[in-house]
Amino acid sequence: MSSRLTLILILLAVVVVTLSSSIFVVDERQKVLLLRLGQIEKADFKPGIHFKTPFVTDVRKFDGREMALDAQPARYLTGEKKNVIVDSFIIWRINDVATYFRSMGGDEDRAASRLSQIIKDGLRAEFGRKTIQEVVSGDRVAMVQDILKDANRVAEGFGISISNVRIKRIDLPAEVSSSVYTRMEAERERVAKELRSQGAEEAEKIRSDADRQRAVIIAEAKRQAEELRGEGDAKATEIYAKAYGKNEEFYSLYRRLSAYKNIFNADDMLVIEPKGDFFKRFNDAELPVK
């Protein structure tokens, strides 16, 4: 009886082991390969429960999510033959798990090393076409897009897709920093002088135009004043003529008295003989009245 129980337990254990070896679960975040004696039998399983031949086939699982690779900072030469230190990282994922397994043996560290080298080659080529000023202040997004296109063409042969490359920091070596800052300062000073020169030129134009307008306005005002003065004199002459025509003796007396008032002030002393037409009224004993 005990021998039969032992046999049953052994058979149950064999069944359980066989069933557990025949079933595998694929998570939606995973890429799975089914290997038969080390050779790929099937790839790209959908998420869920799947069956395999026990003891003969093997299941390899890989992370199907996007992964970040923080590359080591490296030195690159710019188009001016100046060194810059670039710190970057890569976002990548397994695109074709079968190709990835054949090319990289399923080794993530090996894939990371190969990707790092691909991106370094792309950065080296891109930086070699640019100056330090373009590298530091240029459009990094456009530069990264060019690197991505070339890198994905190479990574496609490894079953890998690179979704992004980011440059975290660009540093200048100590020996380059001072010369770059001096050059940038000189460039900013040149631009400032040019702007000041343009401003002075515009200011001179504005002053010249203002002086011209001032001269035109003053000339026009003088012309109008002369016209008004002439009109006033003409009107006064007309009034004087009419007054003279009404009473010539009175008008003559009034004019002479006005002349005496303007000539003889309180502090003036003149010793003259009151003869002549100007002193006629002094010599008249009696003024005619009309």
Side-chain angles (χ1 to χ4, degrees), residues 238-248 251:
E238 182 182 353
I239 293 172
Y240 287 149
K242 289 180 180 180
Y244 184 78
K246 288 183 178 180
N247 193 332
E248 295 181 7
Y251 180 75

Side-chain angles (χ1 to χ4, degrees), residues 52-254:
K52 67 182 181 66
T53 304
F55 310 115
V56 180
T57 57
D58 187 23
V59 175
R60 292 287 303 273
K61 296 181 180 180
F62 305 95
D63 196 339
R65 297 172 297 178
E66 288 189 336
M67 294 172 281
L69 171 60
D70 194 359
Q72 291 295 322
R75 286 188 174 227
Y76 301 101
L77 279 175
T78 65
E80 301 167 308
K81 305 303 179 186
K82 301 291 186 180
N83 277 309
V84 290
I85 302 173
V86 181
D87 190 6
S88 62
F89 69 91
I90 308 163
I91 304 296
W92 67 284
R93 64 188 297 273
I94 299 172
N95 190 38
D96 185 343
V97 66
T99 304
Y100 174 75
F101 183 78
R102 293 190 189 98
S103 59
M104 297 296 169
D107 189 347
E108 187 175 319
D109 291 337
R110 183 179 173 187
S113 176
R114 190 70 184 92
L115 285 175
S116 179
Q117 188 59 46
I118 292 172
I119 298 302
K120 283 182 178 179
D121 292 342
L123 287 171
R124 185 173 293 106
E126 195 66 29
F127 275 76
R129 292 192 290 265
K130 298 183 180 296
T131 63
I132 289 182
Q133 186 174 355
E134 291 172 340
V135 166
V136 174
S137 60
D139 186 1
R140 295 186 186 181
V141 176
M143 181 173 67
V144 165
Q145 291 302 319
D146 294 336
I147 296 173
L148 270 178
K149 291 178 183 178
D150 296 335
N152 271 314
R153 279 196 291 266
V154 178
E156 188 178 359
F158 305 138
I160 294 173
S161 173
I162 304 173
S163 58
N164 206 347
V165 176
R166 289 293 183 184
I167 298 174
K168 294 191 293 184
R169 189 175 62 188
I170 299 177
D171 292 330
L172 299 172
E175 64 272 14
V176 178
S177 296
S178 58
S179 63
V180 170
Y181 292 147
T182 301
R183 185 180 305 172
M184 292 175 67
E185 184 179 0
E187 176 63 18
R188 293 297 92 192
E189 183 65 25
R190 184 191 65 80
V191 172
K193 286 182 179 178
E194 184 177 347
L195 291 175
R196 282 194 293 267
S197 176
Q198 292 176 356
E201 183 180 353
E202 287 298 321
E204 188 61 32
K205 289 181 180 178
I206 293 171
R207 279 194 293 268
S208 298
D209 185 62
D211 291 341
R212 182 187 61 80
Q213 293 184 18
R214 173 178 173 275
V216 171
I217 292 171
I218 291 175
E220 180 64 19
K222 286 182 177 180
R223 185 188 65 79
Q224 292 180 2
E226 291 296 330
E227 288 181 356
L228 292 174
R229 188 177 293 110
E231 291 175 359
D233 290 342
K235 190 69 174 175
T237 302
E238 182 182 353
I239 293 172
Y240 287 149
K242 289 180 180 180
Y244 184 78
K246 288 183 178 180
N247 193 332
E248 295 181 7
E249 286 296 329
F250 176 77
Y251 180 75
S252 176
L253 174 62
Y254 176 78

Side-chain angles (χ1 to χ4, degrees), residues 243-285:
Y244 184 78
K246 288 183 178 180
N247 193 332
E248 295 181 7
E249 286 296 329
F250 176 77
Y251 180 75
S252 176
L253 174 62
Y254 176 78
R255 294 285 290 175
R256 288 178 183 277
L257 291 176
S258 297
Y260 297 157
K261 181 180 179 181
N262 292 330
I263 293 175
F264 303 117
N265 293 323
D267 297 332
D268 294 335
M269 183 178 69
L270 297 176
V271 181
I272 59 176
E273 184 178 0
K275 293 181 179 181
D277 189 60
F278 183 72
F279 296 103
K280 179 181 179 182
R281 293 297 175 183
F282 284 108
N283 298 320
D284 290 340

